[in-house]
Amino acid sequence: KTSINLRPGGVEGGTMSGKNLLLKVILLGDGGVGKSSLMNRYVTDRFDSQSFHTIGVEFLNRDLVVDGRLVTLQIWDTAGQERFKSLRTPFYRGADCCLLTFAVNDSRSFQNLSNWRKEFMNYSDVKDPERFSFVVLGNKVDMEQREVGEVEARAWCEENGSYPYFETSAKDDTNVTAAFEAAVREVLAAEDQIDHALLSSTIDLHGNRKTSRSSCC
Ligand SMILES: Nc1nc2c(ncn2[C@@H]2O[C@H](COP(=O)(O)OP(=O)(O)OP(=O)(O)O)[C@@H](O)[C@H]2O)c(=O)[nH]1
Ligand SMILES: [Mg+2]
């Protein structure tokens, strides 16, 4: 299958070797939890222990193959500090997946996950909130002093929509690739469901047309 149907908001880009899929994922979470560090680890394989707070948004692309499909992952990294809210929210539209990020040594950042999800929903204009793909990242697992346990984090994910959960460290490169690949898989799985729904509604429509024709002629 070389062409893939996308719901509104997704973009299809062309390449020399056929069509490849451009997916937009967005990193949200409190200032300092490690969003920029995760993106930089994944795209450039570097870690900076002295990074600056992000102002507004930045994005980087990385190509990858997931389950035999060539995908360009466009990662949007946002500023988590409250004062930058108006600079980040215009960029939520068109996202295919949202990575809700907290730091395991900062319980406040974990408690704020539901606020981040709310903010995303308010500004992203997602058509079907129940089906939208979220992935949750508990970052900084290399740190000694944890304030949020894995069991507690997994329970939140389960209760709030069975979101995949990854314990990551941008510093040690733990689960970073796995987390971004999971985001792609979540989107592809959601697309497949929509393809199936479209297919069955097409069949229904044909059925209806046939019935109405035979009744009027
Ligand atoms: N120990 C450890 N430190 C990390 C990790 N990820 C990020 N950091 C550090 O945490 C600090 C904040 O990281 P950033 O990536 O800038 O955080 P951010 O979420 O982008 O913050 P904002 O841009 O303000 O929203 C930096 O000093 C990073 O070096 C990690 O996995 N482990
Ligand atoms: Mg940042």
Side-chain angles (χ1 to χ4, degrees):
K1 193 174 166 185
T2 48
S3 83
I4 295 148
N5 290 324
L6 282 172
R7 63 174 175 268
V11 191
E12 229 169 348
T15 63
M16 304 254 292
S17 59
K19 285 181 173 173
N20 92 1
L21 198 58
L22 180 63
L23 297 184
K24 173 177 175 176
V25 303
I26 191 155
L27 283 156
L28 297 187
D30 283 9
V33 297
K35 299 177 297 298
S36 302
S37 302
L38 287 161
M39 178 177 76
N40 288 326
R41 169 60 81 189
Y42 183 61
V43 178
T44 66
D45 201 17
R46 285 195 201 117
F47 176 76
D48 183 359
S49 57
Q50 307 273 294
S51 68
F52 294 100
H53 282 294
T54 306
I55 298 168
V57 298
E58 291 169 2
F59 78 85
L60 291 175
N61 286 353
R62 180 173 162 177
D63 291 339
L64 72 157
V65 176
V66 174
D67 302 335
R69 295 195 207 185
L70 181 59
V71 174
T72 297
L73 193 56
Q74 187 168 79
I75 303 164
W76 290 69
D77 171 34
T78 62
Q81 289 180 302
E82 181 56 31
R83 63 196 166 121
F84 296 129
K85 183 175 172 180
S86 63
L87 295 182
R88 64 176 178 255
T89 51
F91 297 91
Y92 294 2
R93 279 166 182 266
D96 296 295
C97 181
C98 178
L99 298 169
L100 296 171
T101 311
F102 71 97
V104 297
N105 65 338
D106 175 5
S107 59
R108 204 187 149 85
S109 69
F110 176 65
Q111 284 153 20
N112 274 333
L113 288 184
S114 47
N115 293 331
W116 284 108
R117 189 176 53 167
K118 227 179 279 167
E119 184 178 293
F120 177 76
M121 283 306 178
N122 283 343
Y123 291 91
S124 60
D125 199 23
V126 165
K127 297 283 176 297
D128 189 354
E130 294 294 309
R131 285 202 193 186
F132 190 80
S133 303
F134 288 97
V135 173
V136 178
L137 312 185
N139 189 42
K140 306 199 187 184
V141 287
D142 59 278
M143 303 280 282
E144 293 278 305
Q145 285 158 326
R146 277 183 79 131
E147 290 185 1
V148 185
E150 183 174 351
V151 173
E152 189 185 354
R154 285 196 187 280
W156 188 89
C157 294
E158 202 46 51
E159 281 161 25
N160 285 275
S162 300
Y163 305 144
Y165 175 64
F166 289 87
E167 301 233 301
T168 60
S169 166
K171 186 181 178 197
D172 291 354
D173 198 7
T174 305
N175 269 337
V176 178
T177 302
F180 284 104
E181 289 188 1
V184 174
R185 286 208 174 84
E186 283 294 299
V187 178
L188 294 180
E191 302 300 345
D192 283 347
Q193 275 187 0
I194 288 168
D195 281 354
H196 276 116
L198 281 174
L199 193 64
S200 45
S201 63
T202 309
I203 291 162
D204 283 353
L205 280 174
H206 282 184
N208 287 341
R209 240 167 72 189
K210 227 177 169 182
T211 326
S212 61
R213 258 192 206 152
S214 56
S215 64
C216 75
C217 301

